[in-house]
Amino acid sequence: MNEDDSIPLIGQVVRIMQGREAGQYAVVIKIIEDRYVLLADGEKRKYDRPKKKNVSHIELMDYISPEVQNSLLETGRVTNGKLRFAIAKFAGEVVTDLKKGVGHDG
């Protein structure tokens, strides 16, 4: 296990582990120092009102949305539609695979 595993990346999908939104998915839209991230899902948590979370309270998923990442890197912001799309795409691709018990090589 290397150190990089615990560092979230912009556009990465995470599962919230603690707090009111536990069990829900969100997308990292900003990294604050080393310990905090701003999360949004485009639905309950809009881009302009992100949730600040301690990285120890989230679980990093093995999925980064290229659409969200590119948008944030190019323009510094992202639409709520793109955030919803990223989570839907993640949920559609990754979560269903896990349920079927399909091995995931990446």
Side-chain angles (χ1 to χ4, degrees):
M1 169 110 176
N2 62 10
E3 291 281 308
D4 296 345
D5 289 348
S6 60
I7 298 168
L9 298 166
I10 299 265
Q12 187 164 14
V13 174
V14 301
R15 181 162 49 208
I16 298 167
M17 302 303 286
Q18 294 199 343
R20 258 192 321 208
E21 292 146 339
Q24 294 175 7
Y25 293 101
V27 182
V28 175
I29 59 170
K30 188 168 186 178
I31 296 160
I32 307 169
E33 294 144 19
D34 292 337
R35 300 222 357 252
Y36 293 96
V37 291
L38 291 182
L39 301 177
D41 65 8
E43 208 162 338
K44 291 186 266 316
R45 258 303 151 200
K46 299 281 198 266
Y47 170 79
D48 52 7
R49 292 196 56 235
K51 176 79 177 165
K52 184 178 173 186
K53 271 286 191 197
N54 187 319
V55 292
S56 64
H57 295 168
I58 58 176
E59 181 185 357
L60 302 177
M61 300 287 112
D62 194 16
Y63 181 80
I64 293 168
S65 165
E67 295 86 4
V68 172
Q69 195 174 47
N70 291 339
S71 180
L72 284 165
L73 293 174
E74 285 166 21
T75 66
R77 53 179 294 123
V78 66
T79 61
N80 290 312
K82 269 196 182 130
L83 292 169
R84 287 194 299 272
F85 174 77
I87 291 172
K89 199 169 165 192
F90 163 77
E93 285 177 9
V94 185
V95 177
T96 50
D97 286 353
L98 294 175
K99 283 185 187 141
K100 288 184 210 137
V102 175
H104 214 34
D105 285 331

